[in-house]
Amino acid sequence: MRPRPGLLSRRALLAGLAFAAAPAFAGADVPGPRVAVLDWVSGQNLLALGIAPVAMPELERYARLVVEPAVPTQMHELGLRSEPNLELVDRLKPDLVLLAPELEPLRERVARIAPVESFDPNGFGRVDLLDHARRASKALAVRLDADQAFEALARSVDDTLSMAAERLHAYDGRPLYVATIIDGRRLLVFGRNSLFQTVLDRFGIENAWIGATSRFGHVTLTADRLAQRPEARLLCVGDSSRASIGALLASPVVTSLSFVRERRIALIPDVLFYGGLPPARRFARLVSHALVPGAG
Amino acid sequence: MRLSTPFWPAFALAVVAALAALRNIAALLPAGTGLAAVLVPDPGITSEMLLHYTVLPRIAVALMAGGALGLSGTILQRILRNPLAEPATLGISSGAYLAMAVATLWFPAVLAQREWVAFTGAGAALAVILALSWRRGLSPVTVTLAGMIVSLYCGAVSAVLTLFNHDFLIGLFLWGAGHLDQQDWGDARFLAPRILVTTGIALLLLRPLTLLVLNDESARSLGLPLAAYRLAALVAAAALTATVTAAIGIIGFVGLAAPTLARACGARQTGPLLLWSGVIGALLLLATDQLVLGLPVTYRLFPTGAITALLGAPLLFLLIRRLKLLALPEPVEAASIFRLDHPLAVIMLLALLVPVAAWLATALGQGPEGWAFAMGDDYAHLLGWRGPRVLAAFAGGAMLALAGAVLQRMSGNPMASPEVLGVSSGAMLGIVALLLSAPAPTRTGQILAGSGGAMAVLLVMLALSRRPGFSGERLLLIGITLGSVSGFVMAVLMAAQDPRLGQVLAWMSGSTYAVRPAEAVASIALTLAALLLVPMLRRWLDLLPLGSTAARAAGVSLTLSRGVLYGLAAILTAAATILVGPLSFAGLMGPHLARLAGFQRAGTHLVASALSGGLILLVADWLGRNLIFPFQVPAGLFATVVGGPFLLVLIARGR
């Protein structure tokens, strides 16, 4: 099968060529432990601690959907997130491999490569997702002798949260639907127990969706369900929302809603809806600028 | 009670549908609302807007779509002379799905014309099938086979796209799961004129359809231009399904269930059968949809398509014993049979090829420095990673091909690929249930859950097969029903945006990624054991295709032979599914390839099927691991994407 644009990242091919050209790929330019990650959440949290993993899956897609912290250019591509290439991880000889809970079935084989460390900053179902995320990041930092990096990360998260809170003093206090528009008819709505709402709770912003949600705090809804809270505001997450919002707004029921008539709609770029401190920090910054536009 | 017409069952369905619809409308309508408010809603009153723009068009769309699918299913079952045929058989929904996936990923601008994208995909799939079977005068067996393979092929390509891009395809998953929710009258306006016209055309075909059920000679002797009428009927049936799929997405099962229920309730002649299938299809979909609307809101939307399968399956199950089966599809015509002179020598050659291929597949591969041929210690180390995958790929392919060959010979139905047994659906449901209930499933847990699901299905089916009235085609029908239930569970799961989805997706695509060494060795042992059984089964499988009378005359106990063969196929399918996921293609490709290569007697055909099925998967696994390294394409998908066109060409040549 020939690679097609989109199907296979061009960057992955280039990275492959780079391997071929490099005489040694020990990655000696990175001091400290060489950690391989098999999922984005671990990679994102590790990068937030200032430690670049030696390898991570789907680098190009990460840059598009997770965005920050950015991936350094010398990182190795591991292929699909569903099947990170373990043979390649083995050949990169990492000192440690981080394992997310959904990859637990791989533990036995990963343990042949290097010591395995579980990492789960999500803690869905807990009372306070941010507290759980903080503890998970701290434990990871301790394991990697990066206590100072953790302190810096925690400070940065706190600073971002308080700056956003300050900015959101000017918010009009309307309840907020937080959603990704899937197509012209349906939305992925993030409810009370989502990571996004945990952040919004810090700013005293109420979630407009009060119905059931999944373990991850989201729910798939048809557009007409938004009619339940006409006084609300709609916050659309992700660039895909930008493309499909036109179709959504064209439907008669949605058009008749007051928050559509009065254009109470805000858009922010992609943020992962799980993954602990880094996506929470990104969401806080983006949401404060989207809800209270203007300089500063 | 003897049922002579489906009037009362249809009436009962209509009552259920009406009650549920009235309840849903009453829940929305404020007291004292007049008819005018329903027809011309006040944009300021949300409940009136909701009623007029969501509830009413939804009822209209459900009735039209269900009727069209029921009609389409009946036409297909008659012209293909196959009681298992349904709209999906012609690859229409999977063609539409693939077109939608391609458009979503690369041409998002054309998605504004969603209906036409889906319609184009459906049309292209049909065109390929017609072109391939044209030379064989659109014979039912060829059309069916070509349809199945085009369907599998489009499905595999879509699955590759899904695996690599599932982050961007949630909209497609929802579309594919069969949701009927409406936001305006657009879909209803799209459907109404098109369905009216195609239904009219279908009615014009009433007489030819009656004759097309007969075998080719009788029909021809009555002066029927066979190919022309087949073409017209196929296109009419396809147009009905394509219109529905284009407007509202993939609604499976209705097209299979409605004609089957109509027949089971006593409709026999073509005219009544068409009428009642349409009516039952419309009511079945409407009743289900209105019940779905009344369900409590949870975190996921329940797709009507999935619930239709859940509700329709028991209904079908209850009525299945009343079913008078249509004539079985004719086996491949004698003229096309090609025999090998020395089948045993060719089998020896194939068998020798296996260790060579296994060695190459483990030694040669891509690493961080590009392609390399591993030797010595390096090879020993790499064998730890590559060995289990190569063994599992071979064993998985061989077991499924063997199961497929047994089933196809036993049932005389070329569509009988192993997943029609329902055991792979059972395994899949078990694994999905574990995924949803356990936060961090282990590999051992997955194997246990998969085995549990497969065993449950196997036991139920074996118990049923002992009861009178449950045998052969009827059991396969239950298996297919189960398959559509599990397919829709998967569709719901995909649409629910679960971050753990990737793992299931990869396993579903036939990946050897997760196989551990002990499992690989066990699977090889099971394959060898099954191959050793072949000499004992040979006689049964040579005689059973000749028909039950001939087989009984030759002293074959039908109950015993069917039970043993069925059990063996089920165990092999279950083992392969749990190990490497459901790879339906190996189960089709292996046996057909072996037959086309000239292995006609049961004994050599079975062994050759197993060897070629295993080799196909082994090579597919190797290519999938290396071609776009470090990315990996699951072996099952790779085999389908590369092998599908090859098999299609063979069919088109009429071998």
Side-chain angles (χ1 to χ4, degrees):
Chain A
M1 197 176 56
R2 302 237 303 291
R4 300 191 217 171
L7 179 68
L8 206 217
S9 65
R10 204 165 293 128
R11 183 153 158 193
L13 285 179
L14 289 178
L17 294 176
F19 294 156
F25 53 93
D29 48 330
V30 189
R34 302 177 75 255
V35 187
V37 296
L38 307 180
D39 66 296
W40 283 348
V41 168
S42 308
Q44 191 187 16
N45 278 274
L46 210 54
L47 284 165
L49 288 173
I51 300 167
V54 284
M56 183 164 79
E58 293 188 58
L59 298 179
E60 188 171 284
R61 183 110 341 142
Y62 174 98
R64 190 166 157 193
L65 292 180
V66 186
V67 190
E68 63 180 279
V71 171
T73 43
Q74 74 274 19
M75 199 183 291
H76 290 290
E77 171 68 75
L78 280 186
L80 289 178
R81 275 173 291 160
S82 52
E83 300 196 335
N85 198 319
L86 294 183
E87 195 183 305
L88 181 59
V89 176
D90 188 22
R91 295 201 156 194
L92 295 172
K93 299 192 168 48
D95 303 322
L96 183 73
V97 181
L98 294 189
L99 200 64
E102 70 269 16
L103 293 175
E104 200 56 38
L106 300 182
R107 176 180 285 275
E108 200 178 310
R109 278 170 310 139
V110 176
R112 287 176 46 199
I113 302 172
V116 181
E117 183 75 20
S118 297
F119 179 63
D120 178 19
N122 288 316
F124 285 111
R126 313 275 169 126
V127 181
D128 191 315
L129 300 182
L130 282 184
D131 274 355
H132 177 84
R134 198 177 287 260
R135 276 198 301 277
S137 277
K138 181 163 192 178
L140 179 65
V142 170
R143 172 75 173 78
L144 295 171
D145 292 326
D147 303 55
Q148 284 189 346
F150 171 73
E151 296 305 329
L153 171 65
R155 256 198 316 280
S156 149
V157 172
D158 290 340
D159 288 351
T160 309
L161 283 174
S162 54
M163 270 160 62
E166 200 163 307
R167 196 180 174 90
L168 287 167
H169 276 314
Y171 183 63
D172 58 15
R174 287 181 184 275
L176 198 61
Y177 282 115
V178 186
T180 295
I181 301 176
I182 297 171
D183 56 19
R185 298 175 172 183
R186 305 179 187 96
L187 307 103
L188 195 66
V189 173
F190 299 94
R192 281 171 301 175
N193 51 341
S194 65
L195 180 65
F196 291 161
Q197 186 54 37
T198 313
V199 173
L200 291 176
D201 284 342
R202 295 285 202 277
F203 311 140
I205 297 177
E206 184 199 351
N207 197 307
W209 175 252
I210 47 170
T213 55
S214 74
R215 244 181 106 228
F216 308 96
H218 61 15
V219 52
T220 320
L221 295 180
T222 50
D224 54 85
R225 298 264 185 204
L226 299 187
Q228 287 170 355
R229 299 287 291 272
E231 79 280 13
R233 184 184 301 274
L234 174 64
L235 175 73
C236 299
V237 183
D239 289 330
S240 61
S241 298
R242 208 174 291 272
S244 42
I245 196 163
L248 181 80
L249 298 184
S251 104
V253 177
V254 175
T255 315
S256 74
L257 300 177
S258 64
F259 68 82
V260 176
R261 280 203 306 265
E262 292 156 27
R263 307 301 293 173
R264 283 197 302 273
I265 298 173
L267 279 157
I268 60 172
D270 285 290
V271 191
L272 223 51
F273 64 83
Y274 53 94
L277 294 181
R281 179 174 61 177
R282 178 173 163 78
F283 180 73
R285 200 180 59 242
L286 292 174
V287 85
S288 66
H289 282 85
L291 293 184
V292 182
Chain B
M1 188 182 71
R2 276 286 316 135
L3 290 173
S4 53
T5 97
F7 177 79
W8 288 111
F11 184 74
L13 263 179
V15 170
V16 171
L19 285 178
L22 283 177
R23 193 176 149 261
N24 291 329
I25 292 174
L28 202 60
L29 220 53
T33 316
L35 193 64
V38 176
L39 296 178
V40 189
D42 175 354
I45 303 174
T46 306
S47 64
E48 288 182 13
M49 291 295 282
L50 283 175
L51 185 64
H52 181 79
Y53 285 108
T54 66
V55 178
L56 295 182
R58 189 166 175 157
I59 292 175
V61 164
L63 281 171
M64 286 191 280
L69 290 171
L71 211 56
S72 168
T74 311
I75 299 176
L76 287 175
Q77 294 189 359
R78 308 255 338 153
I79 41 179
L80 298 180
R81 297 180 193 141
N82 193 324
L84 307 183
E86 55 159 333
T89 315
L90 282 190
I92 292 159
S93 17
S94 46
Y97 192 93
L98 178 58
M100 289 286 287
V102 170
T104 311
L105 292 174
W106 289 289
F107 310 101
V110 301
L111 275 186
Q113 302 294 319
R114 190 168 51 96
E115 289 87 356
W116 295 111
V117 172
F119 205 84
T120 310
L126 180 70
V128 171
I129 293 163
L130 292 180
L132 286 169
S133 39
W134 188 251
R135 215 193 276 190
R136 315 267 295 155
L138 300 179
S139 89
V141 178
T142 317
V143 172
T144 308
L145 258 182
M148 274 199 75
I149 291 163
V150 167
S151 185
L152 265 176
Y153 185 73
C154 292
V157 177
S158 303
V160 173
L161 298 181
T162 306
L163 206 55
F164 280 78
N165 300 293
H166 59 88
D167 308 286
F168 304 120
L169 292 174
I170 318 156
L172 181 71
F173 298 159
L174 284 169
W175 180 83
H179 289 276
L180 282 177
D181 49 275
Q182 303 293 312
Q183 299 293 333
D184 56 31
W185 283 90
D187 286 345
R189 270 200 297 268
F190 178 86
L191 283 174
R194 289 168 180 81
I195 289 183
L196 212 62
V197 170
T198 25
T199 306
I201 295 174
L203 291 180
L204 291 179
L205 292 169
L206 208 56
R207 199 186 93 88
L209 270 179
T210 313
L211 299 178
L212 280 170
V213 183
L214 308 171
N215 63 35
D216 283 8
E217 283 91 81
S218 326
R220 223 177 265 125
S221 68
L222 288 167
L224 203 67
L226 272 180
Y229 277 118
R230 272 195 191 129
L231 182 66
L234 276 174
V235 170
L240 282 169
T241 311
T243 310
V244 172
T245 311
I248 56 175
I250 295 175
I251 306 274
F253 195 71
V254 176
L256 175 68
T260 311
L261 290 173
R263 262 186 312 123
C265 294
R268 293 278 183 273
Q269 256 114 42
T270 313
L273 192 57
L274 281 177
L275 171 74
W276 287 114
S277 318
V279 170
I280 290 180
L283 291 173
L284 185 65
L285 196 58
L286 178 66
T288 318
D289 189 46
Q290 290 303 319
L291 291 175
V292 166
L293 259 181
L295 285 179
V297 182
T298 70
Y299 67 90
R300 52 177 75 104
L301 296 172
F302 283 105
T304 305
I307 308 291
T308 313
L310 283 179
L311 292 184
L315 202 60
L316 199 64
F317 186 77
L318 281 177
L319 292 169
I320 213 157
R321 272 194 290 175
R322 299 177 174 278
L323 202 59
K324 282 242 166 45
L325 293 170
L326 294 179
L328 278 179
E330 295 159 55
V332 182
E333 289 79 357
S336 68
I337 287 182
F338 159 75
R339 277 176 195 281
L340 275 180
D341 293 332
H342 304 287
L344 278 179
V346 182
I347 281 187
M348 289 305 290
L349 216 65
L350 273 177
L352 283 178
L353 207 57
V354 176
V356 179
W359 172 58
L360 285 176
T362 42
L364 186 63
Q366 282 226 58
E369 292 107 340
W371 286 94
F373 197 87
M375 280 177 293
D377 283 349
D378 191 24
Y379 179 70
H381 183 77
L382 281 174
L383 202 57
W385 292 111
R386 296 175 181 171
R389 301 190 65 170
V390 167
L391 290 182
F394 179 79
M399 285 193 278
L400 283 167
L402 201 54
V406 167
L407 285 173
Q408 284 161 25
R409 291 194 82 95
M410 194 165 97
S411 65
N413 194 328
M415 285 167 77
S417 65
E419 83 266 10
V420 300
L421 284 175
V423 284
S424 45
S425 310
M428 204 182 103
L429 288 174
I431 288 177
V432 168
L434 178 75
L435 174 92
L436 292 182
S437 56
T442 61
R443 172 78 179 160
T444 311
Q446 283 175 345
I447 289 181
L448 288 176
S451 314
M455 278 305 288
V457 172
L458 180 61
L459 289 178
V460 169
M461 296 288 228
L462 278 180
L464 279 177
S465 68
R466 293 175 159 276
R467 298 188 32 200
F470 284 97
S471 64
E473 297 283 316
R474 290 190 178 86
L475 278 183
L476 295 190
L477 206 54
I478 297 176
I480 291 180
T481 307
L482 213 63
S484 64
V485 172
S486 68
F488 279 109
V489 168
M490 198 57 210
V492 178
L493 193 69
M494 278 159 76
Q497 257 302 69
D498 194 313
R500 299 165 293 184
L501 175 71
Q503 291 276 304
V504 193
L505 274 182
W507 174 79
M508 285 286 299
S509 349
S511 169
T512 57
Y513 181 75
V515 176
R516 294 180 295 191
E519 296 158 23
V521 172
S523 68
I524 289 286
L526 190 60
T527 310
L528 287 177
L531 283 175
L532 287 177
L533 282 177
V534 167
M536 283 176 260
L537 308 172
R538 206 174 53 187
R539 190 162 158 274
W540 284 344
L541 285 173
D542 271 327
L543 291 172
L544 281 178
L546 302 177
S548 46
T549 331
R552 214 179 282 124
V556 175
S557 155
L558 286 185
T559 333
L560 179 71
S561 62
R562 283 201 178 130
V564 169
L565 291 171
Y566 181 80
L568 177 71
I571 289 171
L572 289 174
T573 309
T577 306
I578 294 158
L579 192 66
V580 291
L583 310 160
S584 38
F585 192 69
L588 269 182
M589 178 113 176
H592 283 286
L593 211 59
R595 191 176 50 77
L596 293 168
F599 293 99
Q600 304 295 346
R601 298 294 299 267
T604 48
H605 179 228
L606 288 188
V607 178
S609 299
L611 287 174
S612 41
L615 278 169
I616 290 168
L617 255 283
L618 193 156
V619 173
D621 181 62
W622 178 73
L623 289 171
R625 280 187 288 123
N626 288 296
L627 276 191
I628 51 169
F629 181 89
F631 287 82
Q632 305 170 76
V633 184
L637 284 187
F638 203 95
T640 317
V641 172
V642 177
F646 178 64
L647 199 54
L648 282 176
V649 169
L650 286 180
I651 289 170
R653 284 225 192 113
R655 288 266 312 261

